[in-house]
Amino acid sequence: MSTRPPESSASLLVVSAHAGDFVWRAGGAIALAAERGERATVVCLSYGERGESARAWREGKGLAEIKEIRRAEAENAARALGAEVVFLDAGDYPLRETPELVDRLVRVYRDVAPSVVLTHTLADPYNGDHPAAARMALQARVLAQAIGYDAPGEPLGAPPVFCFEPHQPEMCDFQPDVLLDITSTFERKRTAMECLPAQQHMWDYYTDLARRRGVQLKRNAGPNLGLPHATMGEAYTRLYPQVTGALA
């Protein structure tokens, strides 16, 4: 008997500045989408080859080799989460915003037709690549909605956009208004994190962060919902208003 989840018409698109960002910040959400049978697609705008591969540079590796290392790590992590991954190899430190790169993103939007989009926050004083990725993700979403935009596929609807938690949230004015329960998929997220030895120092940091967000999730969910003691969470902000027929 197959253990694969039933296929769903819903789809998730994650726009990640570097090859590791999607794992730390949204790995639980990606794994949850995959378990529901949704198509989960990650776009890595760069490999993080210059700014997030210090160990490889210190070991004397060259740029091309470092890119291949980071690509393989991200592919393994995406596989662990149940996602497909697309690399645009746009370079990092800095990640430059260009019309050509936005156009490539539009084509990904048209292909994936996402039900939900995840990306970086629009403020991050420690890493300009992250807000650059967010700005391009948002611009591409708008252009993909335009019926007259010259790209294959049907015009996009209006998928909600959630910004995932930056590495230093207090310095980015990050105040989450969505806490996602990732308890059931956290082990898959941890496995994906361990596919990224280039940033091993992040493994425990993001495990601890998930535990803290899980505590907050329980506190905001009510006292009698039977949540497990070791609840794990991810934090997000919602960029556009929720459209609903009932308040909840």
Side-chain angles (χ1 to χ4, degrees):
M1 176 180 293
S2 173
T3 59
R4 294 182 61 186
E7 291 189 2
S8 167
S9 60
S11 58
L12 173 69
L13 177 62
V14 184
V15 180
S16 179
H18 311 108
D21 295 332
F22 72 94
V23 181
W24 319 118
R25 295 161 172 79
I30 295 168
L32 284 170
E35 286 193 353
R36 292 191 298 266
E38 300 174 17
R39 179 185 181 187
T41 304
V42 176
V43 179
C44 292
L45 298 180
S46 79
Y47 296 110
E49 63 270 17
R50 291 186 177 87
E52 302 191 350
S53 305
R55 180 187 300 177
W57 286 106
R58 291 192 181 105
E59 291 171 352
K61 294 180 170 60
L63 181 62
E65 185 180 4
I66 291 171
K67 285 185 177 183
E68 285 304 311
I69 291 170
R70 297 309 308 272
R71 180 187 184 103
E73 291 178 358
E75 287 175 337
N76 290 337
R79 189 177 304 113
L81 297 172
E84 57 188 276
V85 61
V86 177
F87 301 96
L88 298 190
D89 192 14
D92 70 322
Y93 283 68
L95 172 63
R96 301 188 187 280
E97 299 173 62
T98 66
E100 294 76 18
L101 187 53
V102 171
D103 180 71
R104 293 173 72 187
L105 275 175
V106 171
R107 293 165 188 271
V108 174
Y109 271 97
R110 288 276 182 90
D111 174 62
V112 175
S115 308
V116 174
V117 177
L118 308 181
T119 193
H120 297 268
T121 56
L122 288 164
D124 189 337
Y126 291 96
N127 194 321
D129 288 1
H130 295 159
R135 288 190 296 266
M136 287 188 285
L138 296 177
Q139 185 181 4
R141 174 186 175 275
V142 171
L143 295 177
Q145 293 177 289
I147 192 169
Y149 190 89
D150 185 15
E154 294 297 316
L156 200 68
V161 178
F162 295 87
C163 298
F164 38 63
E165 183 164 6
H167 187 62
Q168 299 200 47
E170 298 85 356
M171 300 302 296
C172 301
D173 295 323
F174 181 80
Q175 297 184 41
D177 49 28
V178 177
L179 294 170
L180 181 68
D181 187 344
I182 63 166
T183 308
S184 65
T185 59
F186 181 76
E187 288 306 315
R188 291 181 65 184
K189 177 172 180 173
R190 177 72 192 206
T191 297
M193 289 195 291
E194 292 178 3
C195 292
L196 302 171
Q199 295 173 283
Q200 185 172 348
H201 59 286
M202 306 276 258
W203 297 357
D204 289 342
Y205 176 91
Y206 277 97
T207 297
D208 292 341
L209 179 60
R211 188 174 294 114
R212 293 197 302 273
R213 291 306 188 191
V215 170
Q216 295 169 347
L217 189 154
K218 287 189 290 186
R219 178 64 181 84
N220 285 276
N224 298 309
L225 296 185
L227 291 170
H229 179 69
T231 302
M232 306 295 268
E234 285 176 347
Y236 296 85
T237 59
R238 183 169 186 136
L239 194 58
Y240 298 105
Q242 180 184 7
V243 178
T244 181
L247 296 176

